[in-house]
Amino acid sequence: MTTVLGALAAPSDAAPTSPVLQVRGLHVEFASRERYVHAVRGIDLSIHRGEAVALVGESGSGKSVTALSLLGLAAKTARITADEFRLAGRDLSGLPDRGWRQIRGSQVGLVLQDALTSLDPLRTVGQEVAEALRAHSGKKSKGTGAQVEALLAEVGFPDPAVRANQYAHQLSGGLRQRALIATALAGNPLLLVADEPTTALDVTVQAQILDLLGRRRDTGTALLLISHDLAVVSQVADRVLVMREGEVVEEGTAAQLLGDPKHPYTKALLRAVPSAATRGQRLSGGETERPGDTLEREATSERRPSADGLTPVLRAVAVSKTFKLSGHRQLRAVVDVDVTVAPGAKVGIVGESGSGKSTLARMLLGLIEPDQGQVEIMGRPWRAADRRERGRLRRAVQFVSQDAASSFDPRYTVEQIVEEPLRSSALSRAERAERVLQALALTHLEPSLLKVVPRNLSGGQRQRVAIARALAMEPEVLVCDEPVSALDVSIQAQILDLLAELNERTGTAIVFISHDIGVVHHLVDDVLVMHRGRIVEQGPVERVFNQPSHPYTQTLLRAVPRLAR
Amino acid sequence: MTTSLDATVATRAEPSTVEEAPYEGGRGIALAWLVVRRVLSALLVLWIAVSLTFLAIQLAPGDTVSLLLGENRDDPELRAATIERWGLDQPVWVQYFTYLARIPKGDLGVSYTMRQNVSDLLAEGAGPTITLALTATVVALIIAVLATLINTAPVKGLRAVTSGIQLVILSLPPFWLAILLLTVVSFRWGWFSIIETDSWQALVLPTLALAIPSGFFLTQVLSDGVFRAIEQPFAVSARARGLSPAAVRYRHAVKHAALPVVNLVGLQIGGLLGGAVIVEQIFGRPGLGQLAVNAVIVKDVPLILGVTLVSTAAYVAASTTVDLVAIAIDPRLRTARGGPK
Amino acid sequence: MTAPVAPVAPVTPTAPVASAAPVAPVIPAETVVPAASVAPAAPDVTGVVPTPDGAARPAPVGAQTAVKSPGRASTKLRSAPAKASRLLGAWLARLQWDLVFALPILAVVALAAIAPGLLTSADPLDGNPRESHLAPSWEHPAGTDLLGRDVLTRVIYGARYSVAIGLGASVVAVLLGLVVGLGSAVAPRWLQQVSDRLIDVLAAFPGLLLAMFLITFTGRGPDNLVLALGFGSLPAYARLIKANASVTLQSGYVEQAKTFGLSKARIVLRHVLPNALGALPIMVTIGLGGAIIGSSALSFLGLGPQPPAAEWGLLLAESRAYLRQAWWSAIYPGIALTAVVVASTVLGQSLQRRYERRDR
């Protein structure tokens, strides 16, 4: 197995100064019946042995297309041109697919984002790795079994002999990703292309995977990292290329880019990243004065007296929830949790996937009844309320989910979506129409969007509509479950600014649930850290994140990738 | 609804406690339990089916004895025998249990138009029909695999042509297809005479008449599955390992495409029994289909009950087998916590 | 064992069959496209890039050789071949050929069903025994049958039966399916399991056999045929509607509606029912082909309209005895049937594609 680890193929050794990958003027165009898209517009890219280069950009920047082009795997409608395209000194232009097949796996390896779907679910990880090993040895070699285990051990599989017989769905996210990396390393490639390799992972696991990739780079493999997250790539990348709309707008070492960005886009991108340092600041640039300011203030002044400022608007007292799984097993999703949300407060709940935070959110919303404990809304126990009162209490707690698109009835227009919660109220038609306009104004959406259906909105607009709908009820609390995790960083910045602004203006309390420490640190005042269904630590965000006392919180915070300025 | 939704969300959770623990011992038992549960549910379906037929007899207008006797309703001797056999002078629940108790013994009553025991008639008819259905299934599968190979060949524009042809074949009324085969192949060309119903030649055209529609239906599903599978990320990963498109298709995609097909073959076996009704009629073959048509035309209720129960049993047996095969193919179904779908 | 859809009919609503026309690239490979002028401002690449499947396909030889143009050393890695015919092809592909073909057929059939007298002046029941089994000619384009009746006229008049019975059966099946499927989707869990089992059992009978079973009790005739066929395809529709309704009930917007304080009844009325109803016309259209085949099959067996009616299945049954002498009386009804089924399937699939696009 030392061969896999150490030695590199001859060509790059012969000319140590020439890069493993040398691409100049790469263009990728897509032409289909409906649209023409010039996805990549003349980028230059060179990667040397043992160098890690990162391509960073938001969705639609062309970074993934670039990655696939390097393996000749861009879609069939793609037209790819380049002034120069060399791998290990060899000119790859005009290469037929047969030629690409020789290169894929053996010279360039690819790691995709979601290992659950990127590994064949009907085959064991051992079979997948073996397939990758065999792809270039030509024949079925006898020693494959041992090679598979060695390779799995190399990427950090505990007990590889047993694990090789497991299927992807039986492994944890981290192990799955390791298995996928093993398949990409099987051919001992000169260049490893990793497209968002850690995006689907929890931060503690993400740190391990980045470490694995970094060590691989140290043994001489050239590494191309594709990511939307500057902080992630700054951990390993020697050089970073910032992409926007198919072009590289800025290039430099990670330290240069992070410390002294030149291009306005890079600056905006960096400014948009929420963290401890950005508390109380706006993340998105521009617009200060907005339509609807006055409209809204009137509404606020009418509303405030309803809360006395003392009773918590939302409180969970020792709530627990256990789910029965098949096979007589159960999952204790939430165990003995207390949450108190004061009027106008911003409370964050942080946890990794499976920590029970979404279940907790659903209990706060009254969508799930807790097995034990109770949820109180404005001091009123949920359980004790009769049907009519429940309706009233429900309206006081509103929900913003991660996936706004799926929270809209596909038949509805923006107007109908925002109006829907009001339809069961006593408001007249005209009053409802006015409320809808107010809510849109609050979320900085143009009234011209009223008749638009959600599929024609951008991701950021959709999330705004979702927030507008929640606000139309004039709730006391907004429960936001991962509201920005599906969004690009610049859009995320706008939504975070919006939430902070709404909290300030309308006094609506916010419960903000997220896996992202930086986002939480930026936005909230008090934070609860959840781990395996329990709250392990809570308190003011500065205290909890600056002097964590619980070991889990400490691990979590250590794992967070930081912009190393 | 929310609860179940959330449970699946939560299941993904707790990686260290739930997912990674290799409980080797538990898996065998869980698998056995899965199989037992599947078989039990098959029996449950059969029981409900039997009960439904009973309910149909009870709910039918007119008196039950006349219904059962059909054209012989005026024969006092048969009347008395029927009342006794079905316990028709007893309360309804006794009738029900009498009925329920008789069926496992193979006692399905007497066909008064044919003046024979229904079970004997069925036993006689089952042989040719099962032969026909099985050969048709095999031929349909062969058609499906071959047509899929052609369908999925990487040739530009091919799919538009083949899918058009398939649409027309699938839209042919099966009985017309049978008539066409009979007219052209047998009468015009003089091949595969259907006169001697026991010979293999007589089996060819009925088999084709059944297998062509069913085979092209499976082709659609199989091709669609292949096309869908090669668009999955795992296919991209496989390509990135240097696998040829053909290897991706035949090593990865076909197995994925086979999953729905395995399920459908079970359904098709039930459908083929329905198809046999027509094919047997047109080619003049004896079998369950002929029995069914005759029974409906002369209103022979005991006989149609028998045919219905037998075909249900065949269907249940087929779909149970198929589910077990699916468990063998798809590891995700094996772990009990694979979720509802 | 979740059967996707309508196993009764050989027409699958799941797999789009027709019009899988390949997407033709419109950009000629030799043209260097000025990037800025054509490209949209913010290309959402993910929305456009089809999955990298076809990249495997070796491009034609001409495209692979590196083309060095004098001005700019442009190297072709891979590109689609460009031909003038491609532009024509793209234009033709944009035309919905399937509908161009399907809609006229359906129009003619609809006309034949509503006003057959406009298409033919002859009487479908009135024959001249001396003109028995005449081969196709100018006077009788589809020949005559045993009793000397004009086959074409009988086929035209037959449309009324097939369309009426097929449509009737589809509508019955869809309405029953709606009641059972929706009812089951919103029922408490135990009731759901009971109804699921019952639907399983009904699905266990082959549709045709189930219809025959019912006809044994109800007797023959067109009305009973409609009911029996409708009931026979109930399980498939019930499952489909239930599956759709369950998806809606578990969707984010229903969860959201609960947080507004909407009652379950309101949620069903406001979200589940409208979403289910929206798909019904498509289901009826796609199921129509199967229903027409089923109705003609049962008529063929003598369980539908009785002679001398001109139902297509019955025409085929009558022709069986004289296949050697008068093949034409077996050909034309079959062609008519096939054409209607193809056309309605094509229309249904086209509607479905449009509907699915709407959801995205």
Side-chain angles (χ1 to χ4, degrees), chain A residues 65-124:
Chain A
V65 179
T66 307
L68 288 175
S69 308
L70 298 182
L71 287 97
L73 280 175
K76 60 183 152 187
T77 49
R79 192 171 80 99
I80 303 171
T81 53
D83 298 329
E84 187 183 358
F85 196 117
R86 283 175 188 282
L87 186 73
R90 183 178 158 203
D91 185 4
L92 294 190
S93 20
L95 196 68
D97 191 64
R98 189 173 294 277
W100 272 113
R101 258 182 262 157
Q102 302 293 318
I103 288 166
R104 292 180 202 139
S106 69
Q107 302 201 31
V108 190
L110 176 69
V111 179
L112 290 171
Q113 173 177 342
D114 184 2
L116 187 59
T117 54
S118 300
L119 289 167
D120 190 334
L122 301 185
R123 292 152 62 97
T124 63

Side-chain angles (χ1 to χ4, degrees), chain B residues 1-2 163 167 170-171 173 175-176 187 217 220 231 239 245 263 267 270 278 281 297 299 308 311-312 315 319, chain C residues 1 10 12 17 51 53 56 204-206 209 213 216 220 250 255 258 296 316 320 324 330-331 334 338 342 346:
Chain B
M1 213 57 63
T2 354
S163 62
L167 176 66
L170 277 174
S171 300
F175 54 96
W176 192 49
F187 294 172
F217 176 59
Q220 274 197 332
E231 290 183 354
R239 296 278 311 286
N263 272 325
L267 292 177
I278 282 164
Q281 187 79 1
I297 289 176
K299 288 198 149 200
T308 309
S311 73
T312 311
Y315 173 87
S319 65
Chain C
M1 187 97 284
T12 165
V17 194
T51 36
D53 136 48
F205 299 93
L209 215 56
F213 180 81
T216 316
R220 296 178 238 177
Q250 295 191 3
E255 182 168 61
K258 286 181 195 159
S296 59
L316 286 170
R320 266 178 62 211
R324 288 172 202 263
I331 295 298
T338 311
V342 170
V346 165

Side-chain angles (χ1 to χ4, degrees), chain C residues 151 154-155 158 309-320 329 333:
Chain C
V151 171
R154 285 177 69 73
V155 170
E311 205 278 339
W312 291 339
L314 201 58
L315 293 184
L316 286 170
E318 286 170 0
S319 73
R320 266 178 62 211
S329 52

Side-chain angles (χ1 to χ4, degrees), chain B residues 185-239:
Chain B
V185 181
S186 188
F187 294 172
R188 273 283 145 90
W189 302 344
W191 297 351
F192 306 121
S193 156
I194 56 159
I195 314 262
E196 255 182 79
T197 47
D198 287 341
S199 69
W200 65 268
Q201 286 173 322
L203 191 60
V204 173
L205 292 182
T207 301
L208 283 180
L210 271 183
I212 288 175
S214 145
F216 278 95
F217 176 59
L218 294 178
T219 304
Q220 274 197 332
V221 179
L222 194 61
S223 310
D224 208 48
V226 170
F227 282 122
R228 227 172 271 205
I230 56 177
E231 290 183 354
Q232 300 285 317
F234 67 77
V236 181
S237 306
R239 296 278 311 286

Side-chain angles (χ1 to χ4, degrees), chain C residues 122-145:
Chain C
D123 187 313
L125 304 179
D126 192 22
N128 182 351
R130 268 171 298 170
E131 296 190 339
S132 173
H133 284 326
L134 290 182
S137 63
W138 270 115
E139 205 181 335
H140 299 290
T144 61
D145 68 359

Side-chain angles (χ1 to χ4, degrees), chain C residues 150-179:
Chain C
D150 182 49
V151 171
L152 185 63
T153 303
R154 285 177 69 73
V155 170
I156 288 171
Y157 275 84
R160 180 172 288 178
Y161 284 104
S162 296
V163 171
I165 296 175
L167 258 183
S170 270
V171 169
V172 167
V174 164
L175 289 183
L176 284 176
L178 193 67
V179 173

Side-chain angles (χ1 to χ4, degrees), chain A residues 107-170:
Chain A
Q107 302 201 31
V108 190
L110 176 69
V111 179
L112 290 171
Q113 173 177 342
D114 184 2
L116 187 59
T117 54
S118 300
L119 289 167
D120 190 334
L122 301 185
R123 292 152 62 97
T124 63
V125 293
Q127 282 172 322
E128 288 281 275
V129 175
E131 179 184 88
L133 281 168
R134 272 200 300 267
H136 295 283
S137 58
K139 57 191 177 298
K140 297 200 173 185
S141 55
K142 287 285 172 204
T144 312
Q147 272 177 294
V148 167
E149 281 170 36
L151 201 51
L152 286 177
E154 191 194 326
V155 295
F157 257 62
D159 211 357
V162 177
R163 300 278 180 192
N165 292 319
Q166 289 187 314
Y167 294 90
H169 73 273
Q170 294 171 320

Side-chain angles (χ1 to χ4, degrees), chain A residues 117-118 120 131 172 354 532, chain B residues 13 16 20 234 237 241 252 256:
Chain A
T117 54
S118 300
D120 190 334
E131 179 184 88
S172 67
R532 300 202 173 177
Chain B
S16 46
E20 280 181 38
F234 67 77
S237 306
R241 275 167 224 156
H252 292 265
H256 286 260

